[in-house]
Amino acid sequence: AGDKWGHRFAPDEARLVYIRSEGFSTALVERGLHGSNSVALDPGEGVVTTPVWVAPKRVAYGFAAPQKPLGLLVQATEAEAEREVVPLPVAPASPGVDLRHPAPIEFDIGPDETFSGLLYQTDGLSGPVPGAVYVPDGPLRARLAEFQREEQALASSGFSVLTPVLHGASGFGTAVEDDLADFADDELESTDLAATGMALGERESVIDTKLALVGNGYGGTLAMVAAGARPGVFRTVVAIDPITDWVVELDQADQPWRTWVTRQYGLPLTNADRYALRSPETFAGVIDAELILVS
C-alpha cells in the first residue's frame, strides 16, 4: 500500500530500505530481496527523507514533523531498535513561535468520492474564526505531515487552514494521481477547491462567510480559476505569482515541472481548451471575490 521511493540497497547483503507513504506521513521500511516480509522503522507521525546505509544492519535518515524540525536519526534495522539522534552543525530553531499540529480530515468531492486534507487550527479560541484553503506551487503533490511554513504562518494569523489533496496528487494511489490526466477536459481542480471550501465552511469552528483561497505559483493560478469558475464559495482570493501564460511557463520550466504539466494536460498548442480551463484570463471577468495579486 502507498507510494514507494528512495530505495537504497545494502552493500553487504540482499536487503534494502525505502520510504513508503502512509496517508500524510511516511515510514522507513526494511526488507529482504527474496522475502515478502517487511519491517517499518517508524519514528512516529512525520516524514522520512534520504535513507542511507551506514553500517551492517544500520541506517541513517532524516525525519521531520509539523512541530519538529528536520533531524538526523541512526538505528538498527529493527522495529523496536533504539534511535540515536545525530546533532546537526546548525540546529534550526523557532523561539517564541507556537507551531500548530495539523489534523487529517475527510470531505466529500461530489457524490461519489471522499478526499482528505490537513487542517491547521488554533485550539482554545472563544468562537469561530475565518478559514483559508491553501494551494502550494508545483505539481499537485499531497502536503505531508512535516513543517510547512505557509500553513503555519496563516494559522498563526488566526485562520483555520486546510490544505487539500486534489485530483492529480501523488501519495494516495494511482486512482487519485491519474484522474487528472483522464479528466483534463473538465474543470476538475475548480470542483475540488470549491468542495474543499464548502467543507471548511461547514465546520463549527470556521466562519463560513469569511473564507479565503490562497495559492502560490500554480496554486495561485488554480485559486483564480476556481474563484471564477465556482463563484460564491470564497470571499477573498490571494494569488501569489500565478501562471498567466502557459507557453512562456513551459518554455522556461525545468524538466520535472514541464514533464508533469504535459503528462497531465498535453501541450498548449495542441490542447488549447484544457489550458484555457487553467488560465486566469479565462475567468478573470467573473471573479466575484476580493482579489489580491502578490508579485
Side-chain angles (χ1 to χ4, degrees), residues 62-122:
F63 179 75
Q67 296 169 293
K68 181 185 297 183
L70 179 68
L72 186 61
L73 304 178
V74 178
Q75 72 170 94
T77 54
E78 301 171 0
E80 303 301 326
E82 182 177 351
R83 298 179 181 90
E84 176 185 350
V85 179
V86 179
L88 297 177
V90 179
S94 52
V97 177
D98 182 20
L99 298 179
R100 275 64 173 174
H101 191 87
I105 69 168
E106 293 186 343
F107 51 90
D108 293 331
I109 298 288
D112 302 321
E113 289 187 286
T114 299
F115 270 22
S116 54
L118 286 177
L119 178 66
Y120 296 73
Q121 58 185 356
T122 303

Side-chain angles (χ1 to χ4, degrees), residues 15-271:
R15 307 195 70 80
L16 80 157
V17 291
Y18 56 89
I19 300 170
R20 180 178 69 202
S21 65
E22 297 182 347
F24 292 99
S25 297
T26 65
L28 182 64
V29 179
E30 189 266 357
R31 69 182 301 161
L33 301 185
H34 307 298
S36 59
N37 294 329
S38 61
V39 176
L41 312 177
D42 187 3
E45 184 181 355
V47 176
V48 172
T49 58
T50 322
V52 177
W53 293 89
V54 294
K57 301 186 187 304
R58 288 182 67 81
V59 292
Y61 55 95
F63 179 75
Q67 296 169 293
K68 181 185 297 183
L70 179 68
L72 186 61
L73 304 178
V74 178
Q75 72 170 94
T77 54
E78 301 171 0
E80 303 301 326
E82 182 177 351
R83 298 179 181 90
E84 176 185 350
V85 179
V86 179
L88 297 177
V90 179
S94 52
V97 177
D98 182 20
L99 298 179
R100 275 64 173 174
H101 191 87
I105 69 168
E106 293 186 343
F107 51 90
D108 293 331
I109 298 288
D112 302 321
E113 289 187 286
T114 299
F115 270 22
S116 54
L118 286 177
L119 178 66
Y120 296 73
Q121 58 185 356
T122 303
D123 296 327
L125 298 177
S126 58
V129 298
V133 173
Y134 181 73
V135 190
D137 192 13
L140 299 177
R141 298 188 182 96
R143 299 281 269 190
L144 299 178
E146 59 186 332
F147 176 72
Q148 305 289 2
R149 62 181 182 179
E150 293 89 347
E151 289 91 316
Q152 293 284 2
L154 286 167
S156 67
S157 301
F159 290 90
S160 283
V161 184
L162 177 56
T163 303
V165 175
L166 305 179
H167 284 94
S170 58
F172 285 79
T174 56
V176 174
E177 188 169 0
D178 293 345
D179 263 356
L180 185 54
D182 293 339
F183 297 98
D185 294 317
D186 300 326
E187 299 173 348
L188 198 59
E189 304 95 311
S190 296
T191 302
D192 290 349
L193 289 174
T196 303
M198 289 185 286
L200 181 60
E202 290 173 355
R203 301 185 67 85
E204 293 183 357
S205 59
V206 175
I207 305 173
D208 61 354
T209 58
K210 292 186 177 182
L211 293 179
L213 178 55
V214 183
N216 182 17
Y218 181 48
T221 299
L222 294 182
M224 296 180 67
V225 167
R230 300 292 184 271
V233 178
F234 299 100
R235 181 169 180 175
T236 301
V237 176
V238 181
I240 305 166
D241 290 330
I243 299 167
T244 56
D245 189 321
W246 280 105
V247 175
V248 174
E249 173 68 18
L250 292 181
D251 182 59
Q252 300 178 356
D254 57 30
Q255 188 60 46
W257 173 228
R258 184 187 297 114
T259 299
W260 186 89
V261 172
T262 54
R263 182 170 64 86
Q264 300 292 350
Y265 306 128
L267 293 172
L269 295 180
T270 55
N271 295 274

